[in-house]
Amino acid sequence: MSAGKIFLVSAIVLVGGFCLTGGCLYSGYARSIALDEAVKSNWAQVENQLQRRFELVPNLVETVKGVAGQEQDIFLGIANARAAYFQAKDQPSIGDRAKAAGAYESALSRLLVLQETYPALRSNESFLKLQDTLEGTENRISVERQRYNESVKALNTFVRGLTGKLYANLAGVQPAEYFDISEAAKATPKVDFGKKPPPTGGGP
């Protein structure tokens, strides 16, 4: 084989190697970006549903105050948890925002469980309508939370891989944080939205 042919073959192999390596790098880089964008997009959907919850709660609080106005600790807890969430919302850490959202959920549960103490709430039309609307919102939050956590799992699994870590570093992508419900929130009594108010009168 002549020197010219050897050079040509070597050049082809070298260029092919560069193309293959470059293609792998681009593919890994693009996947890192796509997984990161999926996490951000799904978190945005979580926040959309959390915002729906925040818009409902003031009317719910006012309705409860009409029956249980003396429960100032609970109303103050709602206000403080709301303020804490919006402060955390300005922070870059999704984990901090998720923690604040969980604290708000815990405070809201304490508000809703007042219907066990104040039977008048169980027959209050405004309270029942708000409660039904809130139930739908909570279901949507749960669905979006699950989708977000699934996208976090996909990203973190990729980033933990040997080559995935390299691609993620090139793309400036970091592992994401799960939206976990705190143990305190899990322990808070939950209201059964399907529970019907007991009949009034007609017996001892």
Side-chain angles (χ1 to χ4, degrees), residues 175-187:
E177 298 175 88
Y178 287 97
F179 185 174
D180 291 323
I181 304 175
S182 68
E183 291 302 318
K186 291 178 182 177

Side-chain angles (χ1 to χ4, degrees), residues 62-139:
E62 290 305 312
T63 301
V64 173
K65 279 184 177 180
V67 176
Q70 65 271 34
E71 301 288 348
Q72 292 301 315
D73 287 347
I74 291 179
F75 303 138
L76 182 60
I78 287 280
N80 289 341
R82 179 187 176 91
Y85 174 79
F86 282 103
Q87 288 176 0
K89 194 175 180 182
D90 295 330
Q91 302 301 316
S93 171
I94 287 181
D96 289 343
R97 285 180 274 173
K99 182 178 179 181
Y104 189 78
E105 183 173 331
S106 177
L108 178 58
S109 294
R110 293 188 180 95
L111 177 73
L112 291 172
V113 84
L114 284 178
Q115 68 170 296
E116 302 301 327
T117 305
Y118 299 92
L121 285 173
R122 298 200 295 267
S123 58
N124 184 299
E125 185 176 353
S126 295
F127 180 82
L128 294 177
K129 286 182 178 179
L130 288 167
Q131 192 183 55
D132 286 343
T133 304
L134 185 62
E135 177 189 13
T137 300
E138 294 299 325
N139 288 338

